[in-house]
Amino acid sequence: GENVEQHPSTLSVQEGDSAVIKCTYSDSASNYFPWYKQELGKRPQLIIDIRSNVGEKKDQRIAVTLNKTAKHFSLHITETQPEDSAVYFCAASPNTGNQFYFGTGTSLTVIP
Amino acid sequence: NAGVTQTPKFHILKIGQSMTLQCTQDMNHNYMYWYRQDPGMGLKLIYYSVGAGITDKGEVPNGYNVSRSTTEDFPLRLELAAPSQTSVYFCASRAGELFFGEGSRLTVL
């Protein structure tokens, strides 16, 4: 099955700086890559996603990039704010199955 | 729409007891999932269903059972609870993206 690795496991940045979280996947059949944000004690919620026919996608301060050849994708958060502090999960979903495979999460702390 | 609703939110079980975590969605999604979340381990898929009457094992199915008699409901059954099943359980449904419930925190003592 698919194996998704996520780095770093923890990340601290100063408010206003950028944060980058990286994920790799193993199954070349994966074609959908969502990112979820989970605030403390809350449910994971989708913040952005990308499909394999696109190399980059932006939504205000958040962007995701995908390199299919290298099998890695990254989340970029610019101008970080304290409310960005949360755990972020990447995931991959193969087009041959119905499952989502999650990374182990990155705990982001934005220091005011 | 209420989305995905899970009950109970918290529960304490004794070793060897059984219980059912309930999950209901009102979005008419065919795909439903049960995940468990352990610290530092991300979300691991327990079971999933692609429609009423159809279920399949995920990455960590041992010690659990599911049923899907209707589109709306996807209960997760724990038989003979063990301390290793202490976790936060999330139910989700899918229409493209995953929609998660609020989670059920289960402790087995």
Side-chain angles (χ1 to χ4, degrees):
Chain A
E2 173 69 279
N3 181 44
V4 178
E5 295 190 355
Q6 182 172 348
H7 299 281
S9 57
T10 61
L11 180 60
S12 291
V13 299
Q14 292 289 333
E15 182 177 357
D17 287 349
S18 295
V20 180
I21 302 170
K22 298 182 179 182
C23 289
T24 61
Y25 62 99
S26 60
D27 189 347
S28 56
S30 288
N31 68 345
Y32 176 60
F33 307 93
W35 286 88
Y36 285 82
K37 175 183 180 182
Q38 185 179 29
E39 297 176 352
L40 190 62
K42 300 288 182 67
R43 74 186 88 187
Q45 292 193 295
L46 180 74
I47 54 171
I48 196 167
D49 56 11
I50 192 167
R51 295 195 179 272
S52 58
N53 57 347
V54 175
E56 183 176 1
K57 183 177 178 180
K58 281 186 178 180
D59 183 3
Q60 299 183 343
R61 297 185 296 109
I62 295 173
V64 57
T65 59
L66 171 65
N67 183 326
K68 284 180 58 180
T69 303
K71 296 195 184 72
H72 67 72
F73 56 112
S74 300
L75 178 71
H76 305 253
I77 306 174
T78 59
E79 300 172 18
T80 53
Q81 301 168 2
E83 52 265 39
D84 294 328
S85 296
V87 178
Y88 292 81
F89 292 97
C90 64
S93 182
N95 61 3
T96 54
N98 303 303
Q99 301 188 33
F100 286 70
Y101 297 88
F102 283 84
T104 50
T106 297
S107 178
L108 173 65
T109 301
V110 179
I111 304 164
Chain B
N1 287 348
V4 180
T5 303
Q6 289 181 237
T7 56
K9 288 186 170 50
F10 303 93
H11 196 78
I12 299 175
L13 265 182
K14 293 184 179 178
I15 294 172
Q17 288 184 330
S18 300
M19 79 161 299
T20 299
L21 300 179
Q22 301 292 343
C23 177
T24 299
Q25 53 97 4
D26 61 0
M27 297 175 282
N28 202 34
H29 292 165
N30 285 323
Y31 295 86
M32 295 188 73
Y33 304 81
W34 274 106
Y35 287 91
R36 60 176 288 172
Q37 184 177 31
D38 301 306
M41 297 298 292
L43 292 149
K44 295 294 185 184
L45 182 64
I46 304 171
Y47 270 95
Y48 68 101
S49 170
V50 301
I54 306 169
T55 63
D56 209 346
K57 296 178 180 178
E59 302 167 271
V60 290
N62 291 345
Y64 307 94
N65 274 302
V66 294
S67 60
R68 186 92 183 272
S69 56
T70 66
T71 299
E72 294 78 18
D73 300 310
F74 191 40
L76 177 71
R77 177 104 180 136
L78 282 75
E79 305 281 2
L80 299 175
S84 60
Q85 293 178 303
T86 294
S87 190
V88 179
Y89 292 85
F90 285 98
C91 179
S93 69
R94 177 167 82 96
E97 69 177 269
L98 283 174
F99 294 88
F100 286 90
E102 292 187 336
S104 298
R105 184 175 294 274
L106 181 67
T107 302
V108 181
L109 299 174

